[in-house]
Amino acid sequence: MPRSGEDARRRLQQAALELFRERGYEATTTAEIAAKAGVTERTFFRHFPDKREALFDGEEAFRTALSDGVLAAPEDLNPMGALLFAFRSVEGMLEDNRAFAEPRQSVIAQTPALEERMRTKTAGLISALSAALRRRGLDEGAATLAAQVGMAAFSYAAGAWFADPTPGLDAHLTRAFAALHDLSST
Amino acid sequence: MPRSGEDARRRLQQAALELFRERGYEATTTAEIAAKAGVTERTFFRHFPDKREALFDGEEAFRTALSDGVLAAPEDLNPMGALLFAFRSVEGMLEDNRAFAEPRQSVIAQTPALEERMRTKTAGLISALSAALRRRGLDEGAATLAAQVGMAAFSYAAGAWFADPTPGLDAHLTRAFAALHDLSST
């Protein structure tokens, strides 16, 4: 896509997020999102199938990057170590997107239709992580368990990072994976 | 509800499950479910708002039982110990329901609309477990993390138990919670 297309796409995402925050998701129309972004509604639909998807761009790229991260992890790492390695490998991607991701998270938490979509996205990430762990030799049950636990730790880290970015995402990830041990030992 | 109402409800659930397996979820109508159960369609709608809900009966009772289990766990148990205690407290309920639950699980795994509903159910169970853990003194982040990890271990145990009921659900639960440690130590 040419640069102007990418610019419009980013403006549409930002406009959707702002309108969802100001008026609520249900009350916002694709026409309003397009107008705020300074493009036609037709351009909106060239980028996204519906208003919901304007908040879920880049899902496939993120899934692929996480999956590649698991496969790139040193062979001697245990499953949780490989997952932590994978989440670390996408830190840059997440840091670049923080200004958008943090308010996006609040809108999702307040909107059942977006929460449902988010759960589908999370399930897709867990599937991809699990498939990558199986390629490292884990059986299916253990791979799914590890992927779910790793995703829970990542969500914990992301929530803590949104609340307090000072220590950096890397420190929050380290704490989250360490917190898993504390749950069984306090 | 009088006994005859409970009987009809159970017949409707069984009929729905069998039709979903034979013909697929999308192709099955509420009229067909009612006919197979030997009741009118009006009776179907007295019990369930739509065909999907015929597979999700008892959700609230299960959620309450799990939450009560966490609160009933001995005070000195750590969070994962309290969750294992809670899952153990509903073993009888799950064992009584195994003949229904096992084929139900296969139908859900093959039907996106049911998978989505299942994810909403799971999210509700995680919320309830997390709220119960907070009442035991855990902060919100740790409680959500523990509830997600515990639910992942429970799903692992349930899957293994559906595949092989011989060792019993209790043994599968013990193994699943032990498997959490292995993920960080192999």
Side-chain angles (χ1 to χ4, degrees):
Chain A
M1 196 168 292
R3 177 169 299 186
S4 64
E6 275 308 316
D7 283 353
R9 193 178 183 91
R10 268 194 293 274
R11 286 204 310 277
L12 283 164
Q13 293 174 53
Q14 194 60 44
L17 178 60
E18 286 170 23
L19 288 169
F20 295 166
R21 291 181 79 186
E22 287 162 25
R23 307 183 190 180
Y25 172 77
E26 300 298 343
T28 300
T29 67
T30 51
E32 288 164 342
I33 296 169
K36 191 175 175 86
V39 301
T40 63
E41 202 176 356
R42 193 170 153 188
T43 297
F44 178 94
F45 287 113
R46 211 178 298 139
H47 288 282
F48 304 107
D50 55 46
K51 64 180 177 178
R52 199 177 64 170
E53 293 307 307
L55 288 199
F56 290 90
D57 200 30
E59 183 175 354
E60 198 185 325
F62 186 60
R63 199 169 56 223
T64 304
L66 273 182
S67 176
D68 289 350
V70 169
L71 296 172
E75 266 185 55
D76 60 336
L77 289 180
N78 61 44
M80 296 315 295
L83 290 169
L84 178 54
F85 184 95
F87 286 116
R88 288 211 158 116
S89 75
V90 297
E91 274 173 7
M93 196 184 254
L94 293 164
E95 277 159 356
D96 289 346
N97 198 41
R98 189 182 185 283
F100 183 79
E102 193 271 322
R104 170 181 174 275
Q105 184 54 41
S106 322
V107 169
I108 290 173
Q110 288 157 30
T111 313
L114 295 174
E115 273 198 300
E116 188 177 290
R117 176 67 179 79
M118 188 66 195
R119 282 196 288 267
T120 305
K121 175 181 171 172
T122 304
L125 293 172
I126 288 169
S127 275
L129 289 170
S130 171
L133 287 169
R134 286 203 301 279
R135 288 180 60 189
R136 290 175 65 93
L138 240 62
D139 70 59
E140 188 174 347
T144 301
L145 180 65
Q148 287 177 334
V149 172
M151 187 54 66
F154 170 69
S155 301
Y156 177 86
W161 180 56
F162 288 152
D164 178 15
T166 323
L169 178 55
D170 194 71
H172 281 299
L173 277 170
T174 304
R175 282 184 201 171
F177 277 72
L180 291 172
H181 293 281
D182 299 341
L183 296 176
S184 311
S185 63
T186 35
Chain B
M1 198 168 292
R3 177 168 298 188
S4 63
E6 274 308 318
D7 282 353
R9 193 177 183 91
R10 268 193 293 273
R11 285 204 309 278
L12 284 164
Q13 293 174 53
Q14 194 60 44
L17 178 60
E18 286 170 22
L19 288 169
F20 294 166
R21 291 180 79 185
E22 288 161 25
R23 306 183 191 181
Y25 171 76
E26 300 298 343
T28 300
T29 67
T30 50
E32 288 164 341
I33 297 169
K36 192 176 176 84
V39 301
T40 63
E41 201 176 356
R42 192 171 155 187
T43 296
F44 178 93
F45 286 114
R46 211 179 298 139
H47 288 282
F48 303 106
D50 54 46
K51 63 179 177 179
R52 197 178 63 170
E53 293 308 306
L55 286 199
F56 290 90
D57 200 30
E59 183 174 355
E60 198 185 326
F62 186 60
R63 200 168 55 222
T64 304
L66 272 182
S67 176
D68 289 349
V70 169
L71 296 172
E75 265 185 56
D76 61 336
L77 288 181
N78 61 43
M80 295 316 294
L83 290 168
L84 178 54
F85 184 95
F87 286 116
R88 288 212 157 115
S89 75
V90 297
E91 274 173 9
M93 196 185 252
L94 293 164
E95 276 159 356
D96 289 346
N97 199 41
R98 189 182 185 283
F100 184 80
E102 194 270 323
R104 170 182 175 275
Q105 183 55 39
S106 323
V107 169
I108 290 173
Q110 288 158 29
T111 315
L114 295 175
E115 273 198 299
E116 187 178 290
R117 176 66 179 82
M118 187 66 194
R119 282 196 287 267
T120 305
K121 176 181 171 172
T122 303
L125 293 173
I126 288 170
S127 276
L129 289 171
S130 171
L133 287 169
R134 285 204 301 278
R135 288 181 59 190
R136 291 175 64 96
L138 240 63
D139 69 59
E140 188 174 348
T144 301
L145 181 65
Q148 288 178 333
V149 172
M151 187 55 66
F154 170 69
S155 301
Y156 177 85
W161 180 56
F162 288 152
D164 178 15
T166 324
L169 178 55
D170 195 70
H172 281 299
L173 277 170
T174 303
R175 281 184 201 172
F177 277 73
L180 291 172
H181 294 281
D182 300 341
L183 296 176
S184 310
S185 62
T186 35

